[in-house]
Amino acid sequence: MKILNEIELKKLLDEFRSLPSENEWVEFKEAKSNFHFDDLGEYFSALSNEANLKNQPYGWLIFGVKDKNKEIVGTQYRENRADLDRLKYEISRHTNDGLSFVEIYELFYPEGRVIMFQIPAAPKGMPTSWKGHYFGRNGESKSPLSIQEIESIRTQRMKEDWSAGICPGATIDALDKTAIEKAREEYKKKNPHLAEDVDKWDDITFLNKARVTINGQITRAAIILLGKPESEHFLAPAVAKMTWILKDEHNIERDYEHFGPPFILNTNELFAKIRNLKYRYMPDQSLFPIEVNQYDPYVIREALHNCIAHQDYTLQGRINVVEKPEELIFTNLGEFIPKTIENVIKRDAPQEYYRNRFLAEAMVNLNMIDTIGSGIKKMFLEQRKRFFPMPDYDLSEPNKVKVTIYGKILDYNYTRMLINHTDLDLSVVIALDKVQKKQRITQEEAKKLRALKLVEGRYPNLYVSAKIAELTGDKTTYIKNRAFNKEHYKQMIILFLRQYKVANRKDIDDLLLDKLSDALDEKQKRKYIGNLLQEMSKKDKTIVNQGSSRYPKWVLTN
C-alpha cells in the first residue's frame, strides 16, 4: 500500500472539503484533546463498513476541520507522535480480526494541525465491529449498522468463491494418484458417453474437463477432493478435516478418527466407520416385521457431501460426524445460505449463489452429489419412503449447520400415518414430523394438519393423532388396539406383583412412566397410572391396597 506524501494528502483533503457535505465514508471532526476513545472506535467501525458498502477502498476520519463549513481549525488531539501511532495497536485490540488504521497522517497549516485517519474498508464477507457491535452511517450521523447492511457485507465473500482459488506453488504432484483414478471412474459413471475419451486424456486434460483444475492450475477444490494428505498446507490457514466420533447412550466418547484430503476417498473411509444396524418394526395388520437399515446409505453420503460442499473452510474448523446409538449428527461451519429449510424444500430452482460453487460443481462432475440444490430435498423424500423421521436442521448457532439423521421411529402414530397415506404432501409430512418431535409449528400449519385430522391436542401442545381408524376405515382394529394397550399396562403390573409380591406407588410409576405415550406430560402420565390402579382395584378386582391411600401397598387379590 502506497504511503501518501504531503502534496497528495493536501490535494485529497481539498477534494474532501469541496464536497457539498459529509458522506458515508468521510467524517470531519474538530476533535478536542479529550476526544473519547470509544467514539473514535465507533467511527472506525462505521467508516470501515460504509467504505465497503460504497465500494471505496478506505474511509477517512479527519480531525481539525469543522463539519459544517469545512473550515480548518486545528486539533490538539494526541500531539505527541508516539501517542498518535500507538492508536493503531489500541484500536486493533477491540476490532474483529485486529483491524486497525492503514495510516495516520498529520498535516500542518497556518490555521492549525490536521489529522487524517485512513481506515480500511471492511473485508468482503466480514463487517467491522467495535467491541462486538457493528456501526454504520445514516447520512452524516453515526448509527448501528442495519441488518440488511450486515447481510450485504457478509454475502460478498460467498460471491467470490474461495474454492476456485489457485494454490500458488502447487502442481499435479500435490494430487493423489489413486484419488485421480477414482475421480476418472466416477466421471465416466456420470458421463458414460465420454468413457472412451476419458481413457485417452492425460491427468491434466481430465482434471480440466472435469472442472477440478483451471487451465492446469491446481485449485483449492482440487486439493480438498484429490490432494495428498501432506498437500493440505496449500490451503493454509484454512482447514480441510473430517472427524468421526462414536458416542454411547450416555453421550460418552468411545472412539474417533480424523480424515483429511483426498476427500473423494476418505468419505468412503468415514462412511465405513458408521455402524448401520438392522431396525425392525411391525406395520398394522401384518404378522411380519419390516426390516431396514437404520440409515439409508444415500442419506448418509448426501449429508456428508453437503457438509464438504458448503463448509466455510476459512473459519478453520472441522466437519464432524457424531454417531450415537440411534442417530447421526453432522455439523459444518458457515451460514446456511437459504436461511431456512422450508426455503430449500419449496424452491423449484437452484440457489442463486453458493459459498463454494466451483467445489460443488466439481463434486457433481465426480458423481459425489446430485445436481446442485436437489440433494437436501431428496434426503427428506428418502426418509419419508422409509417412514422414518425427517432430517432435523438446527440453525440456531451462528455460522454453523447441524443436521440430525434419526435411525429409529420416534412416534408409531407418525409412522402408521405415512404407511397409510403415501400421498401426503411433503410440506405436510415435515409439519407432522415437527409435531412428533415436540417442535413448535405455526398456527397455519396446525390448522392444515387439524383439517386433515392428523393431529390432536390444544395448540401449541399438539400430538400426532392416534385415530388411524378414521383414516384407514378400519375402526374395529383401532378399538382393539386401544383396549390392548390398556390391558398391556395392567398385565405389566400383575407380572411385577407376581415377581415381587408387593409394590408401592413409586414402584408402579418407575415401571410405567417411561412406557406411556410421549403425547402426555408427566402430570398426565401419573394421573393415567392412578386411574389404571383404581380400575384394577375397583372394577377388575385384580389388585388390592393393603396400605393407606397416602402410602399404598398393592398386592394381587388372588
Side-chain angles (χ1 to χ4, degrees):
M1 199 281 304
K2 178 187 175 184
I3 302 296
L4 301 178
N5 60 38
E6 184 177 356
I7 295 173
E8 291 169 325
L9 284 168
K10 287 188 173 181
K11 181 180 178 182
L12 188 62
L13 181 60
D14 287 342
E15 290 177 6
F16 292 156
R17 291 175 65 200
S18 66
L19 293 171
S21 63
E22 291 175 323
N23 58 31
E24 286 84 353
W25 50 277
V26 176
E27 171 72 17
F28 295 102
K29 287 288 177 189
E30 293 184 48
K32 297 179 181 178
S33 59
N34 62 347
F35 191 83
H36 199 278
F37 179 66
D38 269 342
D39 283 339
L40 181 65
E42 290 176 7
Y43 274 112
F44 180 93
S45 168
L47 294 166
S48 175
N49 290 326
E50 292 296 345
N52 171 295
L53 293 167
K54 299 301 183 291
N55 294 315
Q56 296 294 325
Y58 311 108
W60 291 89
L61 177 60
I62 301 168
F63 282 6
V65 178
K66 284 187 175 181
D67 62 347
K68 297 300 181 186
N69 58 13
K70 312 299 186 301
E71 178 186 354
I72 296 175
V73 293
T75 179
Q76 287 76 48
Y77 182 77
R78 295 206 181 194
E79 292 184 297
N80 183 293
R81 183 67 213 193
D83 289 343
L84 194 61
D85 288 336
R86 195 163 55 247
L87 273 174
K88 286 188 177 182
Y89 167 72
E90 293 171 352
I91 289 289
S92 70
R93 293 180 60 199
H94 302 289
T95 60
N96 48 333
D97 290 341
L99 205 64
S100 191
F101 298 110
V102 177
E103 194 55 68
I104 303 173
Y105 298 103
E106 287 180 295
L107 289 174
F108 296 93
Y109 290 86
E111 299 91 334
R113 168 174 166 260
V114 172
I115 305 173
M116 297 180 68
F117 295 96
Q118 188 177 15
I119 299 170
K124 290 186 176 182
M126 184 65 69
T128 300
S129 66
W130 174 253
K131 295 186 175 181
H133 298 280
Y134 302 108
F135 293 90
R137 303 260 285 168
N138 186 359
E140 298 181 18
S141 303
K142 170 165 58 70
S143 63
L145 196 64
S146 71
I147 295 296
Q148 292 81 3
E149 290 171 323
I150 291 173
E151 289 304 308
S152 176
I153 294 175
R154 281 179 172 168
T155 56
Q156 291 167 355
R157 182 168 54 182
M158 300 170 190
K159 295 171 184 176
E160 279 195 341
D161 195 351
W162 173 89
S163 67
I166 304 301
C167 299
T171 67
I172 190 72
D173 293 331
L175 305 184
D176 184 278
K177 282 286 185 184
T178 306
I180 295 175
E181 287 305 310
K182 174 68 172 174
R184 284 179 181 271
E185 291 173 18
E186 297 300 328
Y187 186 81
K188 286 191 284 187
K189 289 179 186 177
K190 191 79 175 179
N191 304 278
H193 61 288
L194 295 175
E196 290 185 14
D197 294 331
V198 173
D199 292 334
K200 298 174 185 177
W201 295 337
D202 60 31
D203 285 345
I204 287 294
T205 301
F206 162 67
L207 294 172
N208 285 340
K209 295 279 189 181
R211 293 186 55 78
V212 180
T213 57
I214 299 175
N215 296 327
Q217 299 178 90
I218 307 302
T219 62
R220 294 183 179 120
I223 296 293
I224 291 169
L225 298 179
L226 308 176
K228 294 176 180 176
E230 61 270 22
S231 68
E232 190 184 346
H233 71 88
F234 285 111
L235 304 176
V239 173
K241 278 282 190 292
M242 302 179 293
T243 298
W244 165 79
I245 303 168
L246 177 66
K247 292 189 176 185
D248 63 17
E249 63 273 14
H250 304 296
N251 208 35
I252 304 298
E253 188 174 306
R254 295 301 184 190
D255 199 3
Y256 71 92
E257 190 166 342
H258 302 301
F259 302 89
F263 279 8
I264 196 172
L265 299 179
N266 286 337
T267 50
N268 287 331
E269 296 296 316
L270 191 153
F271 178 82
K273 287 286 182 182
I274 297 171
R275 301 169 302 172
N276 199 357
L277 306 177
K278 292 294 181 183
Y279 188 88
R280 296 173 181 85
Y281 59 92
M282 189 80 72
D284 291 345
Q285 303 175 2
S286 173
L287 297 176
F288 303 100
I290 292 177
E291 185 176 275
V292 295
N293 288 329
Q294 273 188 298
Y295 311 105
D296 183 272
Y298 171 86
V299 173
I300 297 177
R301 292 182 187 278
E302 186 66 25
L304 179 57
H305 289 161
N306 269 339
C307 288
I308 294 170
H310 302 301
Q311 169 88 339
D312 188 341
Y313 295 91
T314 65
L315 295 178
Q316 303 175 29
R318 297 179 308 209
I319 294 165
N320 287 327
V321 180
V322 178
E323 179 183 352
K324 293 186 176 183
E326 295 178 315
E327 62 186 33
L328 296 175
I329 301 171
F330 299 80
T331 58
N332 69 276
L333 298 184
E335 181 189 2
F336 190 65
I337 296 173
K339 305 301 181 187
T340 68
I341 199 64
E342 286 77 15
N343 289 343
V344 177
I345 301 301
K346 293 175 183 177
R347 184 183 292 272
D348 293 326
Q351 189 75 22
E352 285 85 357
Y353 59 89
Y354 290 80
R355 179 176 292 110
N356 304 309
R357 177 172 286 277
F358 189 82
L359 173 61
E361 288 179 347
M363 292 176 72
V364 170
N365 293 335
L366 300 184
N367 205 30
M368 295 178 72
I369 57 177
D370 286 335
T371 304
I372 295 179
S374 67
I376 292 178
K377 186 172 182 178
K378 189 173 178 181
M379 286 168 58
F380 279 75
L381 293 171
E382 290 299 321
Q383 286 295 91
R384 173 185 170 164
K385 283 181 189 176
R386 291 155 44 84
F387 314 122
F388 270 48
M390 296 288 102
D392 216 1
Y393 274 73
D394 181 356
L395 311 175
S396 59
E397 193 172 338
N399 279 323
K400 189 173 185 178
V401 178
K402 177 180 176 182
V403 182
T404 301
I405 307 297
Y406 294 91
K408 66 174 181 178
I409 289 173
L410 300 179
D411 185 334
Y412 275 90
N413 288 331
Y414 169 85
T415 302
R416 292 188 189 105
M417 199 81 69
L418 296 190
I419 290 172
N420 291 300
H421 272 254
T422 56
D423 59 338
L424 286 176
D425 183 76
L426 183 57
S427 63
V428 172
V429 175
I430 291 172
L432 199 61
D433 180 68
K434 290 179 184 177
V435 172
Q436 75 158 336
K437 292 172 183 170
K438 308 302 179 191
Q439 297 172 0
R440 192 183 184 99
I441 63 175
T442 66
Q443 290 192 352
E444 284 186 11
E445 289 173 321
K447 186 177 180 181
K448 187 173 184 179
L449 294 181
R450 204 183 292 280
L452 294 170
K453 298 183 180 179
L454 300 178
V455 294
E456 297 176 17
R458 296 182 62 183
Y459 184 83
N461 301 314
L462 302 174
Y463 54 91
V464 180
S465 175
K467 297 178 182 177
I468 304 301
E470 294 182 13
L471 303 174
T472 63
D474 188 4
K475 294 184 179 181
T476 56
T477 300
Y478 169 66
I479 296 298
K480 287 178 181 178
N481 285 344
R482 184 174 64 175
F484 173 80
N485 286 339
K486 184 181 285 188
E487 288 303 317
H488 176 68
Y489 298 130
K490 289 180 180 180
Q491 285 301 314
M492 289 181 67
I493 294 172
I494 290 170
L495 288 172
F496 185 93
L497 292 176
R498 282 179 184 167
Q499 176 74 27
Y500 298 105
K501 309 305 180 188
V502 65
N504 57 30
R505 179 58 193 263
K506 183 179 183 304
D507 294 329
I508 303 297
D509 285 349
D510 290 345
L511 176 67
L512 298 182
L513 274 176
D514 64 345
K515 297 172 180 64
L516 295 176
S517 170
D518 288 337
L520 305 176
D521 60 30
E522 185 155 336
K523 183 178 178 181
Q524 291 170 324
K525 288 180 179 181
R526 292 184 187 278
K527 185 176 180 181
Y528 181 90
I529 293 171
N531 292 338
L532 201 66
L533 292 169
Q534 187 80 358
E535 188 173 310
M536 291 177 72
S537 64
K538 300 297 183 184
K539 181 182 176 182
D540 302 344
K541 300 190 184 300
T542 52
I543 62 173
V544 63
N545 180 10
Q546 292 185 342
S548 64
S549 59
R550 187 173 182 182
Y551 299 106
K553 288 184 179 180
W554 297 104
V555 296
L556 291 173
T557 54
N558 186 354

